[in-house]
PDB file of all heavy atoms in Angstrom:
ATOM      1  N   LEU A 384     -67.822  33.535 -15.506  1.00 94.00           N
ATOM      2  CA  LEU A 384     -68.804  34.006 -14.528  1.00 94.00           C
ATOM      3  C   LEU A 384     -70.159  34.269 -15.191  1.00 94.00           C
ATOM      4  O   LEU A 384     -71.204  33.820 -14.721  1.00 94.00           O
ATOM      5  CB  LEU A 384     -68.280  35.280 -13.857  1.00 94.00           C
ATOM      6  CG  LEU A 384     -69.242  36.025 -12.924  1.00 94.00           C
ATOM      7  CD1 LEU A 384     -69.708  35.107 -11.795  1.00 94.00           C
ATOM      8  CD2 LEU A 384     -68.569  37.256 -12.337  1.00 94.00           C
ATOM      9  N   LYS A 385     -70.138  34.954 -16.324  1.00 92.00           N
ATOM     10  CA  LYS A 385     -71.385  35.271 -17.030  1.00 92.00           C
ATOM     11  C   LYS A 385     -72.068  34.007 -17.537  1.00 92.00           C
ATOM     12  O   LYS A 385     -73.281  33.840 -17.440  1.00 92.00           O
ATOM     13  CB  LYS A 385     -71.101  36.180 -18.224  1.00 92.00           C
ATOM     14  CG  LYS A 385     -70.629  37.570 -17.840  1.00 92.00           C
ATOM     15  CD  LYS A 385     -71.807  38.480 -17.461  1.00 92.00           C
ATOM     16  CE  LYS A 385     -71.331  39.893 -17.190  1.00 92.00           C
ATOM     17  NZ  LYS A 385     -70.373  40.005 -16.066  1.00 92.00           N
ATOM     18  N   HIS A 386     -71.258  33.076 -18.083  1.00 92.00           N
ATOM     19  CA  HIS A 386     -71.832  31.873 -18.672  1.00 92.00           C
ATOM     20  C   HIS A 386     -72.484  30.975 -17.632  1.00 92.00           C
ATOM     21  O   HIS A 386     -73.518  30.364 -17.901  1.00 92.00           O
ATOM     22  CB  HIS A 386     -70.746  31.065 -19.405  1.00 92.00           C
ATOM     23  CG  HIS A 386     -70.134  31.797 -20.553  1.00 92.00           C
ATOM     24  ND1 HIS A 386     -68.916  32.425 -20.467  1.00 92.00           N
ATOM     25  CD2 HIS A 386     -70.584  32.015 -21.806  1.00 92.00           C
ATOM     26  CE1 HIS A 386     -68.634  32.993 -21.615  1.00 92.00           C
ATOM     27  NE2 HIS A 386     -69.635  32.768 -22.452  1.00 92.00           N
ATOM     28  N   LEU A 387     -71.857  30.867 -16.482  1.00 93.00           N
ATOM     29  CA  LEU A 387     -72.350  29.915 -15.490  1.00 93.00           C
ATOM     30  C   LEU A 387     -73.337  30.549 -14.519  1.00 93.00           C
ATOM     31  O   LEU A 387     -74.217  29.876 -13.999  1.00 93.00           O
ATOM     32  CB  LEU A 387     -71.167  29.320 -14.692  1.00 93.00           C
ATOM     33  CG  LEU A 387     -70.294  28.350 -15.460  1.00 93.00           C
ATOM     34  CD1 LEU A 387     -69.100  27.923 -14.616  1.00 93.00           C
ATOM     35  CD2 LEU A 387     -71.091  27.117 -15.888  1.00 93.00           C
ATOM     36  N   GLY A 388     -73.161  31.826 -14.266  1.00 93.00           N
ATOM     37  CA  GLY A 388     -74.028  32.495 -13.305  1.00 93.00           C
ATOM     38  C   GLY A 388     -73.499  32.339 -11.889  1.00 93.00           C
ATOM     39  O   GLY A 388     -72.816  31.368 -11.572  1.00 93.00           O
ATOM     40  N   LEU A 389     -73.838  33.301 -11.041  1.00 94.00           N
ATOM     41  CA  LEU A 389     -73.282  33.324  -9.684  1.00 94.00           C
ATOM     42  C   LEU A 389     -73.669  32.092  -8.873  1.00 94.00           C
ATOM     43  O   LEU A 389     -72.865  31.538  -8.136  1.00 94.00           O
ATOM     44  CB  LEU A 389     -73.727  34.602  -8.959  1.00 94.00           C
ATOM     45  CG  LEU A 389     -73.091  34.827  -7.585  1.00 94.00           C
ATOM     46  CD1 LEU A 389     -71.567  34.902  -7.703  1.00 94.00           C
ATOM     47  CD2 LEU A 389     -73.649  36.073  -6.920  1.00 94.00           C
ATOM     48  N   ASP A 390     -74.911  31.639  -9.045  1.00 94.00           N
ATOM     49  CA  ASP A 390     -75.365  30.486  -8.256  1.00 94.00           C
ATOM     50  C   ASP A 390     -74.506  29.259  -8.545  1.00 94.00           C
ATOM     51  O   ASP A 390     -74.074  28.546  -7.635  1.00 94.00           O
ATOM     52  CB  ASP A 390     -76.827  30.166  -8.584  1.00 94.00           C
ATOM     53  CG  ASP A 390     -77.757  31.163  -7.904  1.00 94.00           C
ATOM     54  OD1 ASP A 390     -77.256  31.913  -7.026  1.00 94.00           O
ATOM     55  OD2 ASP A 390     -78.944  31.199  -8.267  1.00 94.00           O
ATOM     56  N   MET A 391     -74.277  29.026  -9.830  1.00 94.00           N
ATOM     57  CA  MET A 391     -73.480  27.863 -10.228  1.00 94.00           C
ATOM     58  C   MET A 391     -72.050  27.996  -9.734  1.00 94.00           C
ATOM     59  O   MET A 391     -71.454  27.039  -9.225  1.00 94.00           O
ATOM     60  CB  MET A 391     -73.519  27.724 -11.759  1.00 94.00           C
ATOM     61  CG  MET A 391     -72.769  26.532 -12.299  1.00 94.00           C
ATOM     62  SD  MET A 391     -73.489  24.955 -11.805  1.00 94.00           S
ATOM     63  CE  MET A 391     -74.792  24.784 -13.030  1.00 94.00           C
ATOM     64  N   ILE A 392     -71.513  29.217  -9.862  1.00 95.00           N
ATOM     65  CA  ILE A 392     -70.139  29.469  -9.395  1.00 95.00           C
ATOM     66  C   ILE A 392     -70.036  29.165  -7.895  1.00 95.00           C
ATOM     67  O   ILE A 392     -69.064  28.582  -7.426  1.00 95.00           O
ATOM     68  CB  ILE A 392     -69.754  30.942  -9.659  1.00 95.00           C
ATOM     69  CG1 ILE A 392     -69.678  31.209 -11.167  1.00 95.00           C
ATOM     70  CG2 ILE A 392     -68.460  31.306  -8.951  1.00 95.00           C
ATOM     71  CD1 ILE A 392     -68.391  30.882 -11.826  1.00 95.00           C
TER      72      ILE A 392
END
Side-chain angles (χ1 to χ4, degrees):
Chain A
L384 173 58
K385 293 279 185 299
H386 297 100
L387 288 175
L389 186 59
D390 284 348
M391 182 65 83
I392 294 275

